[in-house]
Amino acid sequence: MSVFSHREFDNHQQVAFFNDKKTGLKAIIAVHNTNLGPALGGCRMWPYATGEEALTDVLRLSRGMTYKSALANLKLGGGKAVIIGDASTQKSDDLLYAMGDFIEGLGGRYITAEDSGTSVPDILKMGQRTSYISGVDKASDHGGDPSPSTAYGVFVSLREAVAYKLGQTNLQGLKVAIQGLGNVGYRLAEYLNDAGAELFVTDIVQTSVDRAVFELNATPVSGDEIFSLDVDVFAPCALGAAINDQSIEKLRASIVAGAANNQLATPIHGQILHDRGVLYAPDYVVNAGGIIDVYYQRKMLSADYSAANYASDLSTKVEGIGATLREIFVRSEAENVPTFVIADRVAEERFNCASSEWQPAKSDAPAATRSYSKSV
Ligand code: NAD
């Protein structure tokens, strides 16, 4: 099948394939749109059964990054990379160096970060061959992991959704059901507990549930029960497709706001939520704290951008997710169109009206002589 007629192609600006016989690296980098800036997105390593499967994934994910960054008001475009292979058995230093060479060859159009199957040390290895990396900040207290910022963004979003839907600015006594107590879900639970909310939690890892019960006075519930609780907010923070044919029939919450990617199994589920008056805070708006963090971490590689700048810009921008959400909620209600449709429109308005595609700076020197001083 031609890449240009692929169902997920969506006018990608560039799709690059890389095959390195020596290291066994087979990778694809997709750059969806650079109107707002260089394309930033994680590098996933996954044992895709076919090249076609890998292509579908990278195109879909890269498009998603354009929308996410535009909605987060970042000067970034959308891109993604996939390495075809099993991260537990096929990853080697040489393969990661070769991936760094591949990224370097795109001249800064694409900037990478960690994703499923890659870690901060992996990205640092790629960084021995390219400066176009991020999410590896060693100066901050969390070592480059963007999860704390993602969790804070989810908290900000949840607060905004509650204010809009329930007219309540205080979270005291708010009932929230959290599915998934991982890096993001647990921190969200902490924020909510601090704000006085009542928590109902589930996770397939029992120790995480026990910890939330012990530390946050949360009520543990079964995996199935989490959907049907009489709560104000359902916060999916585990896997995708939490809102599906089965769960949507049980759902009693009037707000859905969580960290998980791709919460709607299909767009129809988003329409059903809208028709039933359930306020859905679109996942890629809500969980943008991570990309915002990665963006500012990269800025910190520049000599004139301090840790203090990072902390203040990060917090302002993550708080800004609330204003974008409110715009989406207001338009959704005024136009009687689901929030996820409005979110796409807001993103398209932002990146389509940007003046031009990103261009490499004229002063770009070869990788070997360049410092990490370029702005994102
Ligand atoms: P994580 O792997 O740390 O946490 C996921 C948690 O969900 C784990 O505790 C896991 O045991 C639990 N879980 C898995 N299946 C479950 C099920 N069926 N029922 C209940 N719990 C289940 O991941 P994370 O970093 O906390 O991310 C959570 C979600 O947010 C993911 O969908 C991720 O893609 C998305 N997200 C994360 C970030 C980030 O910065 N970490 C950014 C954007 C989006």
PDB file of all heavy atoms in Angstrom, residues 68 145-147 150 179-185 202-205 208 223 237-240 259-261 287 290, ligand 1:
ATOM      1  N   LYS A  68      -2.282  17.626  20.305  1.00  0.00           N
ATOM      2  CA  LYS A  68      -2.008  17.810  21.738  1.00  0.00           C
ATOM      3  C   LYS A  68      -1.165  19.068  21.981  1.00  0.00           C
ATOM      4  O   LYS A  68      -1.469  19.874  22.851  1.00  0.00           O
ATOM      5  CB  LYS A  68      -1.292  16.567  22.300  1.00  0.00           C
ATOM      6  CG  LYS A  68      -1.086  16.647  23.789  1.00  0.00           C
ATOM      7  CD  LYS A  68      -0.375  15.436  24.355  1.00  0.00           C
ATOM      8  CE  LYS A  68      -1.249  14.232  24.444  1.00  0.00           C
ATOM      9  NZ  LYS A  68      -0.792  13.234  25.425  1.00  0.00           N
ATOM     10  N   ASP A 145      11.132  12.581  34.203  1.00  0.00           N
ATOM     11  CA  ASP A 145       9.824  11.914  34.132  1.00  0.00           C
ATOM     12  C   ASP A 145       8.720  12.975  34.160  1.00  0.00           C
ATOM     13  O   ASP A 145       8.594  13.719  35.139  1.00  0.00           O
ATOM     14  CB  ASP A 145       9.683  10.962  35.333  1.00  0.00           C
ATOM     15  CG  ASP A 145       8.294  10.333  35.406  1.00  0.00           C
ATOM     16  OD1 ASP A 145       7.519  10.479  34.428  1.00  0.00           O
ATOM     17  OD2 ASP A 145       7.990   9.694  36.430  1.00  0.00           O
ATOM     18  N   PRO A 146       7.904  13.046  33.096  1.00  0.00           N
ATOM     19  CA  PRO A 146       6.888  14.105  33.065  1.00  0.00           C
ATOM     20  C   PRO A 146       5.608  13.776  33.828  1.00  0.00           C
ATOM     21  O   PRO A 146       4.699  14.602  33.901  1.00  0.00           O
ATOM     22  CB  PRO A 146       6.581  14.220  31.565  1.00  0.00           C
ATOM     23  CG  PRO A 146       6.852  12.863  31.019  1.00  0.00           C
ATOM     24  CD  PRO A 146       7.931  12.243  31.871  1.00  0.00           C
ATOM     25  N   SER A 147       5.533  12.572  34.429  1.00  0.00           N
ATOM     26  CA  SER A 147       4.277  12.151  35.076  1.00  0.00           C
ATOM     27  C   SER A 147       3.757  13.126  36.138  1.00  0.00           C
ATOM     28  O   SER A 147       2.547  13.364  36.197  1.00  0.00           O
ATOM     29  CB  SER A 147       4.437  10.773  35.728  1.00  0.00           C
ATOM     30  OG  SER A 147       4.864   9.850  34.799  1.00  0.00           O
ATOM     31  N   THR A 150       1.961  15.754  34.348  1.00  0.00           N
ATOM     32  CA  THR A 150       0.724  15.217  33.767  1.00  0.00           C
ATOM     33  C   THR A 150      -0.347  15.146  34.853  1.00  0.00           C
ATOM     34  O   THR A 150      -1.491  15.558  34.641  1.00  0.00           O
ATOM     35  CB  THR A 150       0.965  13.809  33.175  1.00  0.00           C
ATOM     36  OG1 THR A 150       2.024  13.896  32.219  1.00  0.00           O
ATOM     37  CG2 THR A 150      -0.285  13.267  32.503  1.00  0.00           C
ATOM     38  N   GLN A 179      -9.514   4.993  38.097  1.00  0.00           N
ATOM     39  CA  GLN A 179      -9.131   3.679  37.566  1.00  0.00           C
ATOM     40  C   GLN A 179      -7.645   3.741  37.196  1.00  0.00           C
ATOM     41  O   GLN A 179      -7.273   4.419  36.249  1.00  0.00           O
ATOM     42  CB  GLN A 179      -9.956   3.362  36.308  1.00  0.00           C
ATOM     43  CG  GLN A 179      -9.650   2.003  35.703  1.00  0.00           C
ATOM     44  CD  GLN A 179     -10.245   1.849  34.312  1.00  0.00           C
ATOM     45  OE1 GLN A 179     -10.248   2.774  33.511  1.00  0.00           O
ATOM     46  NE2 GLN A 179     -10.753   0.667  34.017  1.00  0.00           N
ATOM     47  N   GLY A 180      -6.805   3.059  37.970  1.00  0.00           N
ATOM     48  CA  GLY A 180      -5.375   3.059  37.681  1.00  0.00           C
ATOM     49  C   GLY A 180      -4.614   3.985  38.604  1.00  0.00           C
ATOM     50  O   GLY A 180      -4.796   5.208  38.562  1.00  0.00           O
ATOM     51  N   LEU A 181      -3.763   3.399  39.458  1.00  0.00           N
ATOM     52  CA  LEU A 181      -2.999   4.186  40.434  1.00  0.00           C
ATOM     53  C   LEU A 181      -1.509   4.108  40.116  1.00  0.00           C
ATOM     54  O   LEU A 181      -0.697   3.773  40.963  1.00  0.00           O
ATOM     55  CB  LEU A 181      -3.275   3.672  41.845  1.00  0.00           C
ATOM     56  CG  LEU A 181      -4.701   3.891  42.362  1.00  0.00           C
ATOM     57  CD1 LEU A 181      -4.955   3.061  43.610  1.00  0.00           C
ATOM     58  CD2 LEU A 181      -4.968   5.370  42.633  1.00  0.00           C
ATOM     59  N   GLY A 182      -1.160   4.387  38.873  1.00  0.00           N
ATOM     60  CA  GLY A 182       0.252   4.351  38.469  1.00  0.00           C
ATOM     61  C   GLY A 182       0.910   5.697  38.702  1.00  0.00           C
ATOM     62  O   GLY A 182       0.550   6.451  39.609  1.00  0.00           O
ATOM     63  N   ASN A 183       1.875   6.007  37.839  1.00  0.00           N
ATOM     64  CA  ASN A 183       2.639   7.250  37.996  1.00  0.00           C
ATOM     65  C   ASN A 183       1.746   8.482  38.030  1.00  0.00           C
ATOM     66  O   ASN A 183       1.997   9.408  38.793  1.00  0.00           O
ATOM     67  CB  ASN A 183       3.632   7.393  36.835  1.00  0.00           C
ATOM     68  CG  ASN A 183       4.754   6.389  36.954  1.00  0.00           C
ATOM     69  OD1 ASN A 183       5.284   6.187  38.031  1.00  0.00           O
ATOM     70  ND2 ASN A 183       5.091   5.742  35.848  1.00  0.00           N
ATOM     71  N   VAL A 184       0.734   8.503  37.191  1.00  0.00           N
ATOM     72  CA  VAL A 184      -0.142   9.666  37.130  1.00  0.00           C
ATOM     73  C   VAL A 184      -1.309   9.515  38.107  1.00  0.00           C
ATOM     74  O   VAL A 184      -1.591  10.424  38.895  1.00  0.00           O
ATOM     75  CB  VAL A 184      -0.681   9.874  35.694  1.00  0.00           C
ATOM     76  CG1 VAL A 184      -1.600  11.086  35.657  1.00  0.00           C
ATOM     77  CG2 VAL A 184       0.457  10.053  34.707  1.00  0.00           C
ATOM     78  N   GLY A 185      -1.981   8.362  38.062  1.00  0.00           N
ATOM     79  CA  GLY A 185      -3.194   8.163  38.863  1.00  0.00           C
ATOM     80  C   GLY A 185      -2.950   8.339  40.349  1.00  0.00           C
ATOM     81  O   GLY A 185      -3.774   8.949  41.055  1.00  0.00           O
ATOM     82  N   THR A 202      -9.348   1.722  42.016  1.00  0.00           N
ATOM     83  CA  THR A 202      -9.098   0.340  41.613  1.00  0.00           C
ATOM     84  C   THR A 202      -7.790   0.276  40.838  1.00  0.00           C
ATOM     85  O   THR A 202      -7.391   1.249  40.187  1.00  0.00           O
ATOM     86  CB  THR A 202     -10.254  -0.214  40.742  1.00  0.00           C
ATOM     87  OG1 THR A 202     -10.065  -1.610  40.551  1.00  0.00           O
ATOM     88  CG2 THR A 202     -10.312   0.446  39.368  1.00  0.00           C
ATOM     89  N   ASP A 203      -7.117  -0.858  40.954  1.00  0.00           N
ATOM     90  CA  ASP A 203      -5.902  -1.099  40.173  1.00  0.00           C
ATOM     91  C   ASP A 203      -5.693  -2.612  40.166  1.00  0.00           C
ATOM     92  O   ASP A 203      -6.113  -3.306  41.105  1.00  0.00           O
ATOM     93  CB  ASP A 203      -4.685  -0.407  40.802  1.00  0.00           C
ATOM     94  CG  ASP A 203      -3.532  -0.276  39.805  1.00  0.00           C
ATOM     95  OD1 ASP A 203      -2.960  -1.313  39.396  1.00  0.00           O
ATOM     96  OD2 ASP A 203      -3.218   0.858  39.409  1.00  0.00           O
ATOM     97  N   ILE A 204      -5.063  -3.100  39.106  1.00  0.00           N
ATOM     98  CA  ILE A 204      -4.805  -4.546  39.076  1.00  0.00           C
ATOM     99  C   ILE A 204      -3.626  -4.904  39.997  1.00  0.00           C
ATOM    100  O   ILE A 204      -3.398  -6.059  40.293  1.00  0.00           O
ATOM    101  CB  ILE A 204      -4.554  -5.052  37.628  1.00  0.00           C
ATOM    102  CG1 ILE A 204      -3.528  -4.173  36.917  1.00  0.00           C
ATOM    103  CG2 ILE A 204      -5.855  -5.108  36.841  1.00  0.00           C
ATOM    104  CD1 ILE A 204      -3.093  -4.703  35.564  1.00  0.00           C
ATOM    105  N   VAL A 205      -2.896  -3.878  40.436  1.00  0.00           N
ATOM    106  CA  VAL A 205      -1.802  -4.118  41.381  1.00  0.00           C
ATOM    107  C   VAL A 205      -2.328  -3.821  42.789  1.00  0.00           C
ATOM    108  O   VAL A 205      -2.593  -2.662  43.137  1.00  0.00           O
ATOM    109  CB  VAL A 205      -0.582  -3.217  41.042  1.00  0.00           C
ATOM    110  CG1 VAL A 205       0.528  -3.414  42.065  1.00  0.00           C
ATOM    111  CG2 VAL A 205      -0.083  -3.496  39.630  1.00  0.00           C
ATOM    112  N   SER A 208      -0.786  -1.101  45.176  1.00  0.00           N
ATOM    113  CA  SER A 208      -1.100   0.312  44.894  1.00  0.00           C
ATOM    114  C   SER A 208      -2.423   0.681  45.544  1.00  0.00           C
ATOM    115  O   SER A 208      -2.573   1.781  46.104  1.00  0.00           O
ATOM    116  CB  SER A 208      -1.204   0.556  43.386  1.00  0.00           C
ATOM    117  OG  SER A 208      -0.027   0.153  42.753  1.00  0.00           O
ATOM    118  N   GLY A 223     -12.526  -3.931  39.765  1.00  0.00           N
ATOM    119  CA  GLY A 223     -12.316  -3.371  38.432  1.00  0.00           C
ATOM    120  C   GLY A 223     -13.615  -3.050  37.714  1.00  0.00           C
ATOM    121  O   GLY A 223     -13.700  -2.062  36.978  1.00  0.00           O
ATOM    122  N   CYS A 237      -7.319   6.432  34.440  1.00  0.00           N
ATOM    123  CA  CYS A 237      -5.868   6.678  34.465  1.00  0.00           C
ATOM    124  C   CYS A 237      -5.104   5.375  34.250  1.00  0.00           C
ATOM    125  O   CYS A 237      -3.989   5.204  34.761  1.00  0.00           O
ATOM    126  CB  CYS A 237      -5.458   7.303  35.797  1.00  0.00           C
ATOM    127  SG  CYS A 237      -6.191   8.913  36.095  1.00  0.00           S
ATOM    128  N   ALA A 238      -5.719   4.434  33.523  1.00  0.00           N
ATOM    129  CA  ALA A 238      -5.037   3.159  33.264  1.00  0.00           C
ATOM    130  C   ALA A 238      -4.808   3.019  31.768  1.00  0.00           C
ATOM    131  O   ALA A 238      -3.884   3.631  31.224  1.00  0.00           O
ATOM    132  CB  ALA A 238      -5.859   2.010  33.834  1.00  0.00           C
ATOM    133  N   LEU A 239      -5.664   2.263  31.127  1.00  0.00           N
ATOM    134  CA  LEU A 239      -5.473   1.979  29.701  1.00  0.00           C
ATOM    135  C   LEU A 239      -6.471   2.768  28.850  1.00  0.00           C
ATOM    136  O   LEU A 239      -7.365   3.417  29.380  1.00  0.00           O
ATOM    137  CB  LEU A 239      -5.693   0.479  29.453  1.00  0.00           C
ATOM    138  CG  LEU A 239      -4.881  -0.454  30.336  1.00  0.00           C
ATOM    139  CD1 LEU A 239      -5.357  -1.886  30.149  1.00  0.00           C
ATOM    140  CD2 LEU A 239      -3.398  -0.328  29.993  1.00  0.00           C
ATOM    141  N   GLY A 240      -6.331   2.633  27.519  1.00  0.00           N
ATOM    142  CA  GLY A 240      -7.266   3.290  26.608  1.00  0.00           C
ATOM    143  C   GLY A 240      -8.615   2.579  26.595  1.00  0.00           C
ATOM    144  O   GLY A 240      -8.795   1.521  27.207  1.00  0.00           O
ATOM    145  N   ALA A 259      -6.324  10.748  32.915  1.00  0.00           N
ATOM    146  CA  ALA A 259      -5.044  10.844  32.204  1.00  0.00           C
ATOM    147  C   ALA A 259      -4.920   9.916  31.003  1.00  0.00           C
ATOM    148  O   ALA A 259      -4.145  10.193  30.089  1.00  0.00           O
ATOM    149  CB  ALA A 259      -3.915  10.498  33.173  1.00  0.00           C
ATOM    150  N   ALA A 260      -5.639   8.806  31.007  1.00  0.00           N
ATOM    151  CA  ALA A 260      -5.391   7.772  29.997  1.00  0.00           C
ATOM    152  C   ALA A 260      -5.560   8.315  28.582  1.00  0.00           C
ATOM    153  O   ALA A 260      -6.422   9.164  28.333  1.00  0.00           O
ATOM    154  CB  ALA A 260      -6.339   6.597  30.220  1.00  0.00           C
ATOM    155  N   ASN A 261      -4.731   7.840  27.675  1.00  0.00           N
ATOM    156  CA  ASN A 261      -4.855   8.200  26.264  1.00  0.00           C
ATOM    157  C   ASN A 261      -5.999   7.423  25.631  1.00  0.00           C
ATOM    158  O   ASN A 261      -6.277   6.293  26.029  1.00  0.00           O
ATOM    159  CB  ASN A 261      -3.552   7.849  25.524  1.00  0.00           C
ATOM    160  CG  ASN A 261      -2.469   8.884  25.770  1.00  0.00           C
ATOM    161  OD1 ASN A 261      -2.706  10.083  25.696  1.00  0.00           O
ATOM    162  ND2 ASN A 261      -1.268   8.407  26.079  1.00  0.00           N
ATOM    163  N   ASN A 287      -4.309  15.519  29.501  1.00  0.00           N
ATOM    164  CA  ASN A 287      -3.023  14.904  29.870  1.00  0.00           C
ATOM    165  C   ASN A 287      -1.806  15.578  29.220  1.00  0.00           C
ATOM    166  O   ASN A 287      -0.739  14.980  29.130  1.00  0.00           O
ATOM    167  CB  ASN A 287      -3.048  13.390  29.622  1.00  0.00           C
ATOM    168  CG  ASN A 287      -3.140  13.020  28.152  1.00  0.00           C
ATOM    169  OD1 ASN A 287      -2.761  13.796  27.278  1.00  0.00           O
ATOM    170  ND2 ASN A 287      -3.636  11.818  27.875  1.00  0.00           N
ATOM    171  N   GLY A 290       2.438  16.457  30.510  1.00  0.00           N
ATOM    172  CA  GLY A 290       3.685  15.745  30.202  1.00  0.00           C
ATOM    173  C   GLY A 290       4.435  16.383  29.047  1.00  0.00           C
ATOM    174  O   GLY A 290       5.641  16.651  29.139  1.00  0.00           O
TER     175      GLY A 290
HETATM  176  P1  NAD B   1       1.383   3.578  34.673  1.00  0.00           P
HETATM  177  O1  NAD B   1       1.711   2.366  33.880  1.00  0.00           O
HETATM  178  O2  NAD B   1       2.356   4.097  35.660  1.00  0.00           O
HETATM  179  O3  NAD B   1      -0.008   3.362  35.442  1.00  0.00           O
HETATM  180  C1  NAD B   1      -1.086   2.672  34.928  1.00  0.00           C
HETATM  181  C2  NAD B   1      -1.759   2.000  36.100  1.00  0.00           C
HETATM  182  O4  NAD B   1      -2.959   1.395  35.648  1.00  0.00           O
HETATM  183  C3  NAD B   1      -0.906   0.888  36.715  1.00  0.00           C
HETATM  184  O5  NAD B   1      -0.868   1.052  38.115  1.00  0.00           O
HETATM  185  C4  NAD B   1      -1.626  -0.381  36.301  1.00  0.00           C
HETATM  186  O6  NAD B   1      -1.477  -1.419  37.237  1.00  0.00           O
HETATM  187  C5  NAD B   1      -3.056   0.109  36.239  1.00  0.00           C
HETATM  188  N1  NAD B   1      -3.933  -0.704  35.405  1.00  0.00           N
HETATM  189  C6  NAD B   1      -3.661  -1.354  34.252  1.00  0.00           C
HETATM  190  N2  NAD B   1      -4.759  -1.991  33.809  1.00  0.00           N
HETATM  191  C7  NAD B   1      -5.730  -1.739  34.696  1.00  0.00           C
HETATM  192  C8  NAD B   1      -7.094  -2.101  34.771  1.00  0.00           C
HETATM  193  N3  NAD B   1      -7.679  -2.872  33.863  1.00  0.00           N
HETATM  194  N4  NAD B   1      -7.818  -1.659  35.823  1.00  0.00           N
HETATM  195  C9  NAD B   1      -7.243  -0.886  36.791  1.00  0.00           C
HETATM  196  N5  NAD B   1      -5.945  -0.497  36.747  1.00  0.00           N
HETATM  197  C10 NAD B   1      -5.207  -0.921  35.721  1.00  0.00           C
HETATM  198  O7  NAD B   1       1.007   4.698  33.592  1.00  0.00           O
HETATM  199  P2  NAD B   1       0.940   6.264  33.833  1.00  0.00           P
HETATM  200  O8  NAD B   1       2.212   6.871  33.444  1.00  0.00           O
HETATM  201  O9  NAD B   1       0.359   6.524  35.185  1.00  0.00           O
HETATM  202  O10 NAD B   1      -0.120   6.668  32.723  1.00  0.00           O
HETATM  203  C11 NAD B   1      -1.489   6.404  32.898  1.00  0.00           C
HETATM  204  C12 NAD B   1      -2.227   6.702  31.614  1.00  0.00           C
HETATM  205  O11 NAD B   1      -2.013   8.071  31.261  1.00  0.00           O
HETATM  206  C13 NAD B   1      -1.770   5.885  30.415  1.00  0.00           C
HETATM  207  O12 NAD B   1      -2.872   5.645  29.580  1.00  0.00           O
HETATM  208  C14 NAD B   1      -0.803   6.821  29.705  1.00  0.00           C
HETATM  209  O13 NAD B   1      -0.720   6.555  28.333  1.00  0.00           O
HETATM  210  C15 NAD B   1      -1.463   8.165  29.956  1.00  0.00           C
HETATM  211  N6  NAD B   1      -0.520   9.285  29.921  1.00  0.00           N
HETATM  212  C16 NAD B   1       0.528   9.316  30.777  1.00  0.00           C
HETATM  213  C17 NAD B   1       1.405  10.381  30.736  1.00  0.00           C
HETATM  214  C18 NAD B   1       2.575  10.473  31.682  1.00  0.00           C
HETATM  215  O14 NAD B   1       3.198  11.531  31.783  1.00  0.00           O
HETATM  216  N7  NAD B   1       2.914   9.417  32.393  1.00  0.00           N
HETATM  217  C19 NAD B   1       1.210  11.426  29.820  1.00  0.00           C
HETATM  218  C20 NAD B   1       0.113  11.367  28.963  1.00  0.00           C
HETATM  219  C21 NAD B   1      -0.756  10.284  29.027  1.00  0.00           C
END
